[in-house]
């Protein structure tokens, strides 16, 4: 509940937003303003007693019996001294002087229609006035005898009124009273605590009396239940008690606006006093209600007012509520989006205010998104949330360069340029170069890493490059070995297209970006004398780059540059050989020594793959270094297989390798030498027995074994020889069976093919005379020969068979060397 200080002259807005103890965190639903101008003038002399609202006009009744017609600003447009029905948009008027006081009046909702010229007045009686067909007004008593009628509400065809006993509803169509809702608390004086009525719609009536609220629904009675009863009846769908006395009711969508009269007990004197009236928004339930919002209103003279002095009127469709008291008229309106944003800003909820403005930017009138955003940034800065404030600048400032520059200088004043640097625009818009240089200098003075990051991330055209280069060089005078500054200087040189200086720094730092720099800016002419440095830095990347760009740096130039570094020379030539065995053939002789010195495992593959290396030179080097495997390969390649075999047996003592070598050479003399060398060495004999069965007759070896010689695993070796022999026999028999079966299958297939008939028709021609093979006259005799190759001839067009062979052959296929095709069919008639 939002309350105000108890002072008659206080601000109405303050009265709804301030609390006696602490500020409410709940946003109010309504806003308030006093109806001034003519109303102030009236209420200084008189006191308001009632009000009604229609269209854009207000009718205010006073205690002295005056009625004032006001506009929505409170200006007086007309004044009446008697009861009068007056057309706002026509010249129609009705004047009448009554013989008793009139407490209330209600006009037919469609009075402007000629068929609806009706109104009712309430006092001691409820009188219905209607115009007859002769334009005369006649009155009918609808009700009397239950005290004064102080409240009447007319909606559609239903009139609801309240007297001392309760609430009645009258149906104009059926001319029947359809219900009586008795009042609950009969202890309350009806003149001091009058009933409040309002129609929510054509069939829903809301009754407030004392502390009780009832919601009644008018329903149609079923035909079977009517008898002598009215066609309609009333059902109370909701009923609940309120904390204070009800002075007025009004609908608000599915909710209810309640004006309450409040009495409280003073803590000091313990006496009851009149407190400020409350305007509550509640959500009705079946037996209770839920409070949505509650505001205490400081109206003039509230300390002297009673429950009957307050009235609540509303303007349908506009959500305008008029709180009427004897000395004051207050207008309550639903808060719009501008009001919502005002409240958020007042509560310093800037982010929510900004979001609300963005969502409703088409509906807000008093606020601008940019102004809210700037206020949000200022709030964050004042609170010390510099990083958040800087981040919000991107969204709020957008492409407004002037505002960006203003905010940068503001951050500079508070020493927080670093906070805003990551979020500065870099493309659209672009700020003045001085802005970027100012931030770079700030980082250069205190944070080398941050400075380097900005140089990497910011395009080089944002600032004056020469100014920043000079500043970095000045700092390097104090710390010449600072790698971060050196690397950043190299990047600045790159932006300035001073690639030579940049490359030199990168090589000094051994930085990985050196190769990217060379490729990107085609700096191959600048690195011809820096090949050793590149190889020392990263030989793999350097070699790949050099080989990929042979047209820019020749193989000869690279080899010459690496002459004093043979290990690097070998890396380069080895990679070259791997790519192409022939490109570096002039260096193959040199490579033999390089492989022997730095990479022996790859020497033998090199000797095998190279067709350009001198074998004598290679053999000499391998023999000097006692490289047995390489020497064996070279001897074999030079045709000296017997020496190679001898070296395997004498140097390596490896019978498996010797057998493998003999298999590769497939030379009977080598096998003989191998047997002779192995005949007195039992382990060698075992190896031979296990491996030569498919290449040499094992009997030749077995016969040469001396009697009494112990041979390890001899039994297993002999068993293996027999198994290998049996396997060979089985293999041959299997192959023979497969061959016979395939031959038979193919023979049958050929026979079936040759047994098939061949279609001969008028379109076929003789391959010799090129005339149709069949005569045009089918009655004439003919003779046609058809070969398996599908060539056809007249028999008389074929040459006579020779004396040696009676078989005929296709002349065409014989001429093309496709093998003669024998005749498969001879047709005669």
């Amino acid at each position: 509940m939002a309350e105000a200080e108890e002072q008659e002259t206080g601000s109405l807005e303050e009265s709804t937003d301030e609390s006696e103890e602490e500020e409410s965190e709940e946003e109010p639903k309504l806003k308030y303003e006093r109806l001034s101008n003519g109303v102030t003038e009236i209420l200084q002399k008189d006191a308001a007693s009632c009000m009604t609202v229609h269209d854009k006009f207000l009718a205010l009744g006073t205690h002295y019996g005056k009625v004032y017609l006001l506009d929505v600003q409170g200006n007086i447009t007309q004044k009446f001294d008697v009861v009068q029905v007056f057309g706002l948009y026509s010249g129609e008027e009705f004047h009448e002087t009554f013989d008793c006081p009139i407490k209330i009046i209600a006009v037919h909702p469609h009075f402007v229609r000629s068929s609806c010229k009706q109104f009712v007045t309430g006092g001691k009686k409820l009188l219905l006035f209607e115009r007859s067909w002769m334009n005369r007004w006649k009155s009918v008593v609808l009700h009397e005898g239950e005290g004064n009628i102080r409240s009447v509400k007319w909606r559609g065809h239903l009139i609801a009124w309240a007297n001392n006993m309760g609430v009645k509803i009258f149906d104009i169509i059926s001319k029947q009273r359809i219900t009586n809702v008795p009042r609950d608390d009969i202890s309350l004086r009806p003149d001091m605590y009058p009933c409040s009525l309002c129609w929510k719609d054509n069939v829903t009536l809301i009754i407030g009396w004392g502390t009780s609220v009832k919601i009644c629904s008018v329903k149609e009675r079923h035909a079977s239940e009517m008898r002598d009863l009215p066609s309609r009846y009333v059902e109370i769908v909701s009923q609940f008690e309120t904390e204070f006395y009800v002075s007025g009711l009004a609908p608000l969508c599915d909710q209810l606006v309640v004006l309450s009269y409040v009495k409280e007990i003073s803590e000091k004197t313990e006496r009851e006093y009149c407190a400020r009236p409350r305007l509550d928004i509640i959500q009705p339930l079946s037996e209770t209600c839920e409070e949505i919002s509650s505001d205490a209103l400081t109206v003039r003279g509230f300390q002297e007012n009673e429950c009957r002095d307050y009235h609540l009127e509303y303007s349908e469709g506009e959500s305008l509520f008029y709180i009427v008291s004897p000395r004051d008229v207050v207008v309550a309106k639903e808060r719009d989006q501008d009001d919502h944003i005002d409240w958020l800003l007042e509560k310093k909820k800037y982010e929510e205010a900004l979001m609300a403005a963005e969502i409703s930017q088409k509906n807000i009138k008093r606020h601008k998104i940019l102004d809210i955003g700037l206020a949000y940034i200022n709030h964050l800065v004042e609170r010390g949330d510099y990083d958040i404030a800087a981040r919000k600048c991107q969204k709020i400032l957008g492409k407004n360069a002037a505002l960006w520059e203003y905010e940068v200088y503001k951050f500079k004043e508070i020493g927080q340029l670093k906070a805003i640097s990551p979020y500065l625009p870099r493309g659209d818009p672009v700020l003045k170069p001085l802005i970027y240089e100012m931030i770079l200098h700030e980082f250069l003075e205190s944070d080398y890493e941050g400075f380097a990051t900005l140089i990497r991330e910011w395009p080089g055209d944002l600032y004056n490059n020469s100014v920043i280069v000079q500043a970095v060089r000045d700092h390097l005078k104090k710390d010449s070995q600072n790698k971060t500054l050196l690397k950043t200087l190299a990047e600045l040189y790159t932006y300035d297209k001073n690639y030579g200086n940049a490359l030199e720094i990168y090589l000094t730092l051994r930085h990985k970006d050196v190769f990217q720099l060379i490729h990107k800016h085609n700096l191959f002419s600048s690195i011809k004398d820096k090949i050793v440095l590149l190889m020392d830095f990263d030989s793999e990347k350097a070699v790949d780059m050099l080989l990929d760009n042979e047209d820019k740096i020749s193989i000869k130039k690279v080899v010459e540059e690496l002459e004093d570094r043979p290990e690097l020379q070998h890396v380069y030539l080895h990679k070259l050989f791997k790519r192409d065995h022939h490109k570096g053939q002039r260096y193959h002789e040199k490579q033999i020594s390089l492989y022997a010195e730095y990479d022996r495992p790859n020497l033998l593959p090199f000797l095998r793959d190279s067709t350009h290396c001198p074998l004598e030179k290679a053999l000499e080097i391998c023999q000097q270094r006692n490289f047995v495997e390489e020497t064996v390969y070279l001897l074999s390649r030079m045709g000296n297989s017997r020496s190679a075999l001898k070296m395997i047996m004498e140097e390596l003592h490896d019978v498996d390798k010797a057998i493998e070598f003999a298999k590769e050479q497939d030379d009977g003399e080598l096998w003989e030498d191998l047997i002779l060398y192995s005949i007195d060495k039992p382990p060698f004999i075992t190896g031979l027995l296990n491996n030569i069965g498919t290449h040499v007759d094992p009997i030749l070896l077995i016969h040469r074994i001396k009697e009494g010689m112990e041979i390890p695993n001899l039994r297993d070796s002999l068993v293996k020889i027999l198994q290998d022999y049996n396997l060979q026999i089985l293999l041959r028999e299997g192959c023979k069976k497969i061959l016979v079966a395939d031959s038979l299958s193919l023979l049958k297939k050929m026979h079936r093919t040759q047994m098939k008939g061949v279609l001969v028709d008028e379109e076929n021609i003789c391959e010799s005379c090129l005339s149709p093979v069949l005569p045009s006259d089918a009655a004439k005799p003919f003779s046609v020969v058809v070969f398996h190759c599908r060539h056809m001839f007249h028999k008389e067009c074929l040459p006579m068979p020779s004396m040696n062979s009676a078989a005929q052959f296709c002349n065409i296929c014989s001429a093309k060397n496709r093998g003669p095709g024998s005749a498969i069919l001879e047709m005669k008639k």
Side-chain angles (χ1 to χ4, degrees):
M1 174 178 175
E3 295 188 352
E5 297 179 2
E6 297 185 3
Q7 52 182 12
E8 186 173 344
T9 59
S11 168
L12 189 63
E13 278 81 7
E14 291 177 0
S15 72
T16 61
D17 292 337
E18 293 181 10
S19 174
E20 293 178 355
E21 297 181 359
E22 59 180 282
E23 199 171 312
S24 172
E25 286 299 323
E26 185 178 351
E27 181 180 3
K29 302 297 181 183
L30 302 172
K31 62 179 179 179
Y32 304 89
E33 61 182 21
R34 280 193 172 89
L35 203 61
S36 55
N37 300 331
V39 173
T40 304
E41 179 184 343
I42 295 168
L43 298 183
Q44 284 175 350
K45 304 172 183 178
D46 203 345
S49 60
C50 62
M51 174 183 278
T52 186
V53 183
H54 178 73
D55 201 4
K56 296 183 180 180
F57 293 92
L58 315 174
L60 178 66
T62 68
H63 285 185
Y64 290 164
K66 306 294 183 181
V67 178
Y68 297 89
L69 188 64
L70 313 170
D71 60 19
V72 291
Q73 282 78 35
N75 300 308
I76 301 172
T77 61
Q78 199 154 352
K79 174 183 173 182
F80 306 97
D81 295 325
V82 295
V83 173
Q84 177 176 353
V85 177
F86 176 78
L88 296 177
Y89 305 108
S90 68
E92 183 177 23
E93 295 185 20
F94 167 77
H95 300 268
E96 181 71 24
T97 302
F98 295 86
D99 56 357
C100 61
I102 300 300
K103 300 293 184 180
I104 193 73
I105 185 169
V107 181
H108 193 294
H110 304 293
F111 187 84
V112 293
R113 299 176 185 174
S114 59
S115 61
C116 300
K117 301 299 183 181
Q118 297 174 313
F119 66 92
V120 293
T121 61
K124 297 261 183 208
K125 303 175 183 179
L126 182 67
L127 295 175
L128 171 65
F129 290 83
E130 55 185 341
R131 193 163 63 181
S132 64
W133 62 277
M134 295 181 66
N135 287 334
R136 294 181 179 179
W137 291 90
K138 67 176 182 177
S139 63
V140 178
V141 177
L142 298 182
H143 186 74
E144 65 179 331
E146 293 185 355
N148 284 326
I149 297 169
R150 294 181 174 82
S151 180
V152 177
K153 294 293 180 182
W154 193 334
R155 181 70 175 254
H157 301 299
L158 300 174
I159 303 172
W161 72 90
N163 55 27
N164 293 351
M165 306 304 293
V167 177
K168 281 78 174 171
I169 299 178
F170 185 82
D171 189 344
I172 290 293
I173 302 298
S174 64
K175 305 295 184 181
Q176 289 181 305
R177 195 174 71 189
I178 62 176
T179 191
N180 175 33
V181 182
R183 66 188 179 109
D184 294 331
D185 191 351
I186 59 175
S187 65
L188 296 175
R189 289 174 53 184
D191 59 330
M192 298 299 292
Y193 298 91
C195 177
S196 297
L197 300 175
C198 78
W199 287 97
K200 181 179 179 181
D201 52 44
N202 286 345
V203 294
T204 304
L205 176 67
I206 304 171
I207 304 171
W209 207 335
T211 59
S212 172
V213 176
K214 296 176 182 177
I215 300 177
C216 305
S217 178
V218 179
K219 298 186 177 181
E220 297 288 340
R221 197 184 301 275
H222 195 272
S224 62
E225 300 175 352
M226 290 182 62
R227 301 175 188 173
D228 297 331
L229 299 174
S231 61
R232 296 184 180 185
Y233 69 97
V234 173
E235 179 182 335
I236 299 176
V237 295
S238 177
Q239 180 175 353
F240 52 88
E241 294 291 321
T242 62
E243 186 178 356
F244 306 110
Y245 298 104
V246 177
S247 293
L249 295 169
L252 178 64
C253 299
D254 62 337
Q255 296 171 345
L256 195 60
V257 179
V258 180
L259 177 63
S260 300
Y261 170 69
V262 180
K263 280 191 173 183
E264 295 181 352
I265 297 176
S266 173
E267 295 180 359
K268 298 178 181 179
T269 63
E270 296 185 354
R271 294 177 60 185
E272 194 174 56
Y273 67 93
C274 297
R276 287 166 297 190
R278 291 187 0 169
L279 192 69
D280 300 337
I281 299 177
I282 62 174
Q283 179 68 56
L285 303 175
S286 59
E287 296 181 356
T288 183
C289 64
E290 178 185 349
E291 184 181 284
I292 305 301
S293 72
S294 179
D295 298 323
L297 308 178
T298 302
V299 296
R300 296 185 179 98
F302 69 86
Q303 300 92 337
E304 302 169 359
N305 294 339
E306 298 292 339
C307 182
R308 64 183 178 183
D309 295 326
Y310 294 109
H311 305 277
L312 178 64
E313 294 293 333
Y314 67 97
S315 175
E316 290 189 38
E318 296 186 28
S319 296
L320 291 176
F321 305 93
Y322 296 88
I323 299 95
V324 182
S325 70
R327 299 296 179 189
D328 218 346
V329 178
V330 176
V331 184
K333 303 177 182 179
E334 272 196 287
R335 296 171 66 87
D336 57 18
Q337 200 64 19
D338 281 302
D339 299 315
H340 175 57
I341 293 171
D342 282 333
W343 183 84
L344 291 172
L345 293 175
E346 182 183 337
K347 300 297 180 182
K348 299 189 183 302
K349 298 181 178 182
Y350 291 95
E351 186 167 11
E352 295 178 33
L354 184 60
M355 188 180 301
E358 289 172 343
I359 294 173
S360 306
Q361 56 182 326
K362 293 182 179 179
N363 299 325
I364 57 177
K365 300 174 182 177
R366 292 187 288 105
H367 292 283
K368 294 182 179 178
I369 294 176
L370 180 59
D371 294 338
I372 298 171
L374 293 174
Y376 185 23
I377 293 173
N378 292 335
H379 170 69
L380 291 171
V381 170
E382 291 171 3
R383 207 169 66 181
D385 293 332
Y386 304 114
D387 290 335
I388 301 176
R391 187 165 64 248
K392 293 297 179 183
C393 286
Q394 278 187 311
K395 178 181 178 182
I396 294 167
L397 305 183
K399 298 182 179 181
N400 193 321
L403 282 178
W404 267 109
E405 291 171 4
Y406 173 78
E407 290 297 328
V408 170
Y409 280 112
K410 192 163 70 174
F411 272 77
K412 182 179 185 300
E413 290 175 4
I414 58 176
Q416 292 295 329
L417 277 177
K418 290 184 180 179
I420 201 172
S421 63
Y423 308 106
L424 283 185
R426 305 170 190 179
D428 185 16
V430 175
L431 309 184
K432 295 176 182 177
L434 181 62
I435 298 293
Y436 301 100
E437 293 166 15
M438 181 170 63
I439 293 176
L440 289 173
H441 279 293
E442 176 78 14
F443 274 92
L444 189 57
E445 292 297 331
S446 57
D447 184 1
Y448 288 162
E449 291 295 336
F451 174 75
T453 300
L454 291 183
I455 293 297
R456 282 196 304 272
E457 294 178 353
W458 285 0
D461 56 355
L462 292 180
Y463 47 86
N464 189 329
N465 199 60
S466 59
V467 172
I468 304 302
V469 167
Q470 188 57 49
V472 175
R473 293 175 66 177
D474 291 341
H475 276 264
L476 280 172
K477 292 176 182 178
K478 306 172 189 175
D479 186 3
S480 60
Q481 299 303 316
N482 189 291
K483 291 185 177 181
T484 302
L485 285 182
L486 285 171
K487 179 186 172 185
T488 307
L489 183 59
E491 292 175 357
L492 290 169
Y493 278 139
T494 303
Y495 296 149
D496 210 21
K497 298 184 179 180
N498 191 346
Y499 302 121
N501 289 342
L503 181 61
E504 187 174 344
I505 294 175
Y506 276 133
L507 286 173
T508 303
L509 295 175
R510 302 171 68 87
H511 193 272
K512 61 182 178 62
D513 290 345
V514 65
F515 297 102
Q516 181 182 351
L517 181 70
I518 294 169
H519 276 293
K520 186 175 181 180
H521 302 291
N522 196 20
L523 304 179
F524 295 99
S525 59
S526 302
I527 64 168
K528 290 183 178 180
D529 57 345
K530 298 179 176 65
I531 293 175
V532 175
L533 288 174
L534 288 169
M535 293 286 287
D536 280 334
F537 171 42
D538 190 332
S539 59
E540 285 294 324
K541 286 187 177 180
V543 169
D544 286 337
M545 181 187 69
L546 292 169
L547 292 178
D548 290 340
N549 297 274
E550 290 178 34
D551 55 328
K552 298 166 185 172
I553 302 179
S554 65
I555 298 173
K556 180 180 179 182
K557 176 63 178 176
V558 176
V559 174
E560 288 175 356
E561 286 293 319
L562 299 175
E563 194 65 41
D564 295 334
R565 296 290 298 277
E567 73 280 6
L568 298 178
Q569 197 177 58
H570 164 69
V571 173
Y572 175 78
L573 290 174
H574 172 66
K575 203 70 173 282
L576 175 63
F577 181 74
K578 284 291 185 183
R579 287 198 178 190
D580 191 327
H581 292 347
H582 307 289
K583 270 190 178 180
Q585 63 185 38
R586 62 187 294 186
Y587 303 108
H588 283 197
E589 181 176 350
K590 177 190 285 288
Q591 281 185 269
I592 299 171
S593 301
L594 294 174
Y595 275 111
E597 181 68 29
Y598 302 107
D599 191 9
R600 185 189 169 186
N602 282 314
L603 175 57
L604 187 56
F606 170 74
L607 295 173
R608 286 176 176 162
D609 295 339
S610 174
T611 57
H612 304 288
C613 69
L615 299 181
E616 294 82 0
K617 178 68 175 177
L619 180 61
E620 179 184 349
I621 292 173
C622 291
Q623 287 177 338
Q624 287 175 357
R625 294 177 176 269
N626 197 27
F627 291 169
V628 178
E629 292 186 12
E630 292 80 356
T631 302
V632 168
Y633 170 75
L634 290 170
L635 289 172
S636 171
R637 187 171 169 183
M638 295 170 69
N640 196 352
S641 301
R642 303 184 75 172
S643 297
L645 181 62
K646 182 178 180 181
M647 178 170 279
I648 292 173
M649 294 186 292
E650 292 180 353
E651 298 291 338
L652 299 179
H653 304 288
D654 189 343
V655 65
D656 293 329
K657 190 176 287 292
I659 293 170
E660 189 66 31
F661 180 76
K663 288 180 181 179
E664 289 177 0
Q665 302 300 318
D666 196 19
D667 186 348
E669 292 183 359
L670 283 181
W671 285 110
E672 184 67 24
D673 291 345
L674 181 56
I675 292 171
L676 289 174
Y677 179 81
S678 306
I679 203 62
D680 57 347
K681 300 176 180 61
F684 276 48
I685 293 175
T686 301
L688 287 172
L689 289 173
N690 288 335
N691 292 283
I692 68 171
T694 56
H695 296 273
V696 180
D697 190 352
I699 298 299
L700 296 176
L701 176 61
I702 294 171
H703 284 166
R704 297 188 184 187
I705 299 173
K706 297 178 182 179
E707 284 191 37
M709 178 181 289
E710 291 188 8
I711 300 172
N713 301 319
L714 177 61
R715 178 179 173 278
D716 295 339
S717 299
L718 293 176
V719 170
K720 186 176 184 304
I721 289 173
L722 294 174
Q723 288 176 342
D724 290 345
Y725 179 74
N726 288 333
L727 182 61
Q728 289 184 12
I729 295 300
L730 290 173
L731 186 61
R732 289 180 182 179
E733 288 178 355
C735 290
K736 181 180 178 182
K737 288 179 181 179
I738 293 171
L739 182 61
V740 170
D742 287 349
S743 299
L744 182 60
S745 174
L746 292 172
L747 180 63
K748 288 179 179 179
K749 183 178 180 181
M750 183 183 74
H751 184 260
R752 285 195 303 271
T753 303
Q754 292 181 349
M755 289 293 291
K756 291 180 180 179
V758 178
L759 176 65
V760 179
D761 55 21
E762 292 83 358
E763 294 182 1
N764 297 113
I765 60 173
C766 173
E767 300 292 343
S768 178
C769 65
L770 302 180
S771 60
V773 294
L774 297 179
S776 57
D777 187 359
K780 292 183 179 181
F782 64 90
S783 179
V784 177
V785 178
V786 182
F787 292 94
H788 289 298
C789 57
R790 299 300 189 268
H791 291 133
M792 302 179 187
F793 297 89
H794 294 123
K795 187 171 183 180
E796 57 270 19
C797 293
L798 285 173
M800 295 298 293
S802 64
M803 299 297 295
N804 298 328
S805 174
Q808 287 183 313
F809 300 99
C810 174
N811 294 343
I812 295 173
C813 294
S814 299
K816 292 181 178 179
N817 297 320
R818 292 160 66 182
S822 58
I824 62 169
L825 180 64
E826 182 175 339
M827 299 176 61
K828 292 183 180 180
K829 185 174 179 183

